[in-house]
Amino acid sequence: MKKMQADVAVVAAGLSGLAASIAAAEQGLSVIALEKSKVTGGAASMGVGPLAIGTKHQANVGYNLTPDDAFLKHMHWSHWMVDARLVYDYYRKSASTIEWLENMGVEFVYRNTTLYTPTRMRSYAEPERCCHAVRPADGGRVGPRVAARMIKSMTDYAEELGVEILLETPGRKLIKEDGRIVGVLGTCPDGEELEVRANAVIIATGGFGDNPEMIKEYTGLTWGENLFSFRIPGNVGDGMKMAWEVGAARSDIRMDLMYQIPDNMNHFNLEGAFRQPILWVNKLGERFMPEDCIANTCTTGNAINRQPGHTCFAIMDTATLNHYKRNGVDIFGIQGSDVFDHFDQEAEAAITTGYQYFIKADTIEELCEKTGIDLAGLEETLEIYNDDCDNGGFDSIFNKDRQFMRPVRKGPFYSLQSFPGAYGSFGGIKINYKTEAVDQDGYPIKGLYAVGTDACDIYGDTYPFILGGNTMAFCLNSGRMAAEYAAEYISTL
Ligand SMILES: Cc1cc2nc3c(=O)[nH]c(=O)nc-3n(C[C@H](O)[C@H](O)[C@H](O)COP(=O)(O)OP(=O)(O)OC[C@H]3O[C@@H](n4cnc5c(N)ncnc54)[C@H](O)[C@@H]3O)c2cc1C
């Protein structure tokens, strides 16, 4: 067995693990980070950027939300079912974390644009402008994966500080002696057993988004059937199992639910084209929400999740498609505003490759046959909906804004089917405000800390788009907090 020693062992070098490793090294502690994958960064490499409250970027545009305001909004959103002290400390720390990252060379693009979107179509009626997008390396458009640049800067800086990042080296088991955690066992790339002795261990393994069995156990959803969530390879719940094994209590456990189409990254613009206030129906052919309220992908995910078969269909006819091609989108999401420029090309590719969730049909009968939507139900819906469109656009079912009442009348018709999706999982290891893992009675397990999504149960039942960028921000800030509290603990030994 290979034996190593450090002040702090960090299990994983994803976003929260890197934050913890860097912050611990900055405290003058020696750090070994065990990382299962060939690369650092985990899910964070796919994202846009973190939230922060009270940064200089916000002050520069006169945006003055305070951490106290954010705290209260967050607690009202989560109905105070979460750890108030942890949430409070996290928001208080968030602005300094942006500066901390900037000192490592990370650059941010801060935009104050939400107010230009009509109220009903915002992801939340009054969303705060707190997401700080990572500036793309090529100076191009902010979009998916720009945060990979932050991971590169963090990894380089961690190595500069002397953090020893062991790639392809999964952590397996915690070492507990005399009631304290004193290290972790892992496996080296060549299969040799590894023992890392450390005065504190910080767990940061990113939840269980890549583990269909745990997803089924904790949410009841079946991956690939009625859930199509992102799966970051290797995020299979290792950290939480290791912590539970040594007596850590379980926190609330959920998925970071939103909605998605299967294989969404390969049909990116197509997905954006159908995330518009067009006609949305469930399998019965019934509308289930006003379609101008779909911009909040998380609450819409909840609505889709409660439909028969956990699914829904967005439908438009050729006239509406042409309208969008001419005028552009109504709802501007992560896919951007030019999705209809790519529609024909992506639709063609979807049809050629037999992508079953995108349907083009000449008649409503054919559409229902191919999608499985109940024909009688859809015909009834269309009668009411088209009638409403003809009569001044008053939506007699949901009072959708009349400017979006466009009839579905003349083929070809187009439909895209969505399901609940998720960025990953939330929660698993119960922690206190110091990010210490706690036992069933709430007492800390000495020397054990948990951060990032492994420990993130601060949202209640739904991710708070009211304060976007929240998951990355919790990962970064909980990582920093764990390192600081671990340093304090180690100094008492
Ligand atoms: C497509 C996408 C876009 C997103 N965009 C945003 C965004 O813009 N803003 C935002 O706030 N959030 C966003 N998120 C969410 C955010 O990226 C994640 O919440 C965050 O990265 C989670 O950080 P983490 O440290 O908990 O886990 P990760 O960053 O996923 O890291 C977990 C690490 O643990 C490693 N690991 C697993 N098991 C072991 C083991 N046994 N031993 C050692 N290592 C192990 C993994 O290999 C991985 O490197 C996005 C997520 C996705 C999927």
Side-chain angles (χ1 to χ4, degrees):
M1 177 187 291
K2 182 172 173 182
K3 298 197 177 202
M4 297 179 81
Q5 183 142 15
D7 295 319
V8 178
V10 181
V11 187
L15 185 63
S16 56
L18 282 171
S21 300
I22 292 167
E26 285 178 334
Q27 299 282 327
L29 301 171
S30 59
V31 182
I32 293 175
L34 290 76
E35 167 52 53
K36 188 192 240 181
S37 161
K38 282 191 172 107
V39 290
T40 58
S45 297
M46 298 184 73
V48 173
L51 155 149
I53 312 288
T55 64
K56 65 173 188 288
H57 304 284
Q58 289 163 324
N60 284 345
V61 295
Y63 177 72
N64 292 320
L65 188 82
T66 65
D68 284 47
D69 298 332
F71 165 70
L72 286 177
K73 277 175 187 273
H74 184 118
M75 294 310 290
H76 291 324
W77 170 273
S78 59
H79 302 146
W80 293 79
M81 294 192 306
V82 303
D83 185 332
R85 192 155 171 193
L86 178 64
V87 172
Y88 191 73
D89 288 358
Y90 147 49
Y91 283 117
R92 285 278 298 272
K93 205 172 187 60
S94 63
S96 74
T97 295
I98 293 294
E99 275 181 37
W100 182 70
L101 290 163
E102 285 172 333
N103 288 337
M104 293 173 214
V106 184
E107 292 178 69
F108 292 99
V109 182
Y110 174 72
R111 290 209 188 100
N112 189 19
T113 51
T114 321
L115 286 184
Y116 300 109
T117 311
T119 310
R120 274 176 78 103
M121 290 168 60
R122 294 178 198 161
S123 59
Y124 191 76
E126 291 169 2
E128 297 302 341
R129 279 94 70 205
C130 37
C131 184
H132 292 62
V134 178
R135 186 181 292 284
D138 56 2
R141 185 167 104 184
V142 166
R145 300 198 174 100
V146 291
R149 201 175 180 207
M150 172 169 73
I151 292 301
K152 166 98 176 65
S153 302
M154 291 177 79
T155 306
D156 290 349
Y157 185 56
E159 283 171 348
E160 233 173 80
L161 289 174
V163 174
E164 206 168 335
I165 301 176
L166 310 175
L167 296 175
E168 296 182 87
T169 306
R172 273 188 307 103
K173 195 177 169 61
L174 294 164
I175 308 170
K176 191 175 185 184
E177 288 172 1
D178 302 327
R180 289 198 308 122
I181 299 303
V182 293
V184 60
L185 299 177
T187 309
C188 298
D190 61 4
E192 189 185 353
E193 296 287 286
L194 170 70
E195 179 185 275
V196 180
R197 287 263 158 184
N199 285 324
V201 176
I202 301 174
I203 291 187
T205 63
F208 58 85
D210 189 30
N211 185 331
E213 290 79 30
M214 287 182 84
I215 290 173
K216 182 80 183 172
E217 186 178 348
Y218 292 107
T219 68
L221 290 165
T222 307
W223 200 94
E225 194 180 304
N226 50 36
L227 175 77
F228 291 85
S229 48
F230 285 102
R231 289 178 62 169
I232 308 304
N235 286 4
V236 293
D238 289 349
M240 53 189 79
K241 288 182 192 159
M242 287 161 65
W244 294 338
E245 206 177 77
V246 296
R250 285 177 197 210
S251 67
D252 286 341
I253 298 177
R254 293 199 169 81
M255 294 302 281
D256 183 358
L257 205 76
M258 37 87 163
Y259 73 94
Q260 254 169 262
I261 60 170
D263 191 20
N264 63 334
M265 294 309 265
N266 280 323
H267 305 278
F268 191 67
N269 292 297
L270 210 51
E271 184 169 43
F274 282 87
R275 287 186 168 191
Q276 301 302 324
I278 52 179
L279 180 71
W280 284 46
V281 297
N282 62 17
K283 263 188 170 250
L284 306 178
E286 293 169 349
R287 293 172 69 204
F288 59 93
M289 67 186 292
E291 295 89 349
D292 52 353
C293 291
I294 59 156
N296 184 326
T297 50
C298 298
T299 46
T300 302
N302 286 342
I304 294 171
N305 194 24
R306 69 182 304 285
Q307 302 311 310
H310 309 269
T311 191
C312 78
F313 305 83
I315 299 171
M316 65 178 124
D317 69 4
T318 299
T320 296
L321 174 61
N322 289 337
H323 164 87
Y324 280 120
K325 281 182 178 171
R326 273 194 312 273
N327 300 297
V329 294
D330 291 315
I331 294 180
F332 181 113
I334 183 77
Q335 285 88 357
S337 56
D338 59 352
V339 288
F340 282 95
D341 298 348
H342 308 279
F343 187 92
D344 290 341
Q345 190 193 344
E346 286 202 14
E348 180 73 39
I351 291 167
T352 313
T353 57
Y355 182 63
Q356 68 191 92
Y357 306 100
F358 171 73
I359 298 296
K360 179 179 180 186
D362 289 330
T363 62
I364 290 296
E365 289 76 10
E366 186 191 346
L367 186 86
C368 287
E369 199 181 303
K370 286 181 167 166
T371 54
I373 301 172
D374 182 82
L375 176 60
L378 183 57
E379 280 177 341
E380 194 181 324
T381 295
L382 286 178
E383 206 176 305
I384 300 167
Y385 190 75
N386 288 342
D387 236 37
D388 287 349
C389 292
D390 291 346
N391 292 318
F394 171 66
D395 173 5
S396 59
I397 307 276
F398 279 126
N399 197 17
K400 173 163 78 173
D401 191 320
R402 63 184 69 212
Q403 65 173 307
F404 306 124
M405 292 296 286
R406 301 187 186 101
V408 179
R409 192 158 273 147
K410 200 159 176 295
F413 301 98
Y414 301 88
S415 147
L416 191 69
Q417 186 174 5
S418 292
F419 297 86
Y423 295 107
S425 63
F426 274 149
I429 306 170
K430 195 159 194 168
I431 57 171
N432 59 19
Y433 73 93
K434 292 183 173 180
T435 70
E436 292 167 308
V438 298
D439 66 16
Q440 307 295 336
D441 299 317
Y443 289 104
I445 298 172
K446 297 259 180 249
L448 184 59
Y449 300 78
V451 298
T453 40
D454 277 346
C456 182
D457 72 339
I458 62 164
Y459 301 134
D461 60 22
T462 303
Y463 174 79
F465 252 119
I466 181 173
L467 290 153
N470 221 296
T471 37
M472 272 192 192
F474 181 76
C475 292
L476 286 160
N477 288 288
S478 61
R480 288 184 72 199
M481 285 151 77
E484 288 158 15
Y485 283 117
E488 211 175 280
Y489 163 72
I490 290 169
S491 72
T492 66
L493 295 176

